Amino acid sequence: MLANRLSTGRGEGERGHGAGGESRGVLLAAIVMAIVGWGGLAHLVFNTRPRIGGEIWLFFIFLQIAVTGSAIPVMRLASLRLARAQAGAPQTGVIVRRSVWIGIIAVTCAWLLIPRYLTLPILLILALLFLVIEIFLRNRELADER
């Protein structure tokens, strides 16, 4: 039903969203990223000892890949649902960038959990910081499009 709405409501060439093309490639990449990331995390957690060497860096890398890959379809759906009718949905690059921000927040929170510095106010300030950066970036992109 969503594919029918996309193909009838918006054209294929309109801002990179359509029933196929670029958005299908990004969704396929997101699935691969989620599988590799969560699979790598599971392998790392179940088969290695917790050390401060390379294992912790692999944990952060796999966490970034897993969360980013899992966030892309969610961000795409949210962008399609919340987009204004006249403005259209954001481009695929914007959706990927927002998903990477979510992955960076997750990795930063995991890193702050190790020495037990993560608290709710710190989490809210961190999320607000990335939200403000994204707003500035998006406003600049919209100004360049006009």
Side-chain angles (χ1 to χ4, degrees):
M1 184 162 142
L2 182 61
N4 290 337
R5 196 174 119 208
L6 285 174
S7 63
T8 59
R10 296 186 179 123
E12 175 93 22
E14 182 180 336
R15 304 189 60 159
H17 289 288
E22 184 180 345
S23 61
R24 280 190 185 163
V26 170
L27 289 177
L28 179 63
I31 291 170
V32 170
M33 286 173 63
I35 290 171
V36 168
W38 292 117
L41 274 175
H43 175 73
L44 194 65
V45 167
F46 292 129
N47 295 329
T48 61
R49 293 182 183 173
R51 290 183 235 155
I52 303 295
E55 291 85 2
I56 196 162
W57 295 112
L58 275 175
F59 173 79
F60 290 140
I61 290 169
F62 282 136
L63 183 64
Q64 172 71 35
I65 293 170
V67 172
T68 300
S70 299
I72 288 174
V74 174
M75 289 303 299
R76 182 175 182 273
L77 182 64
S79 295
L80 290 175
R81 290 285 183 184
L82 298 176
R84 296 184 191 139
Q86 68 273 17
Q91 295 175 349
T92 307
V94 174
I95 294 170
V96 171
R97 183 181 66 223
R98 290 176 181 172
S99 301
V100 170
W101 285 127
I102 293 172
I104 290 172
I105 290 172
V107 168
T108 306
C109 288
W111 179 60
L112 288 172
L113 275 173
I114 293 171
R116 298 182 187 200
Y117 288 149
L118 184 66
T119 61
L120 184 61
I122 290 176
L123 174 65
L124 293 176
I125 290 170
L126 186 66
L128 185 66
L129 171 74
F130 285 118
L131 179 68
V132 168
I133 292 171
E134 175 62 27
I135 289 171
F136 283 140
L137 287 173
R138 189 65 184 147
N139 283 337
R140 186 173 177 174
E141 287 175 354
L142 290 175
D144 289 342
E145 287 177 6
R146 294 179 191 152

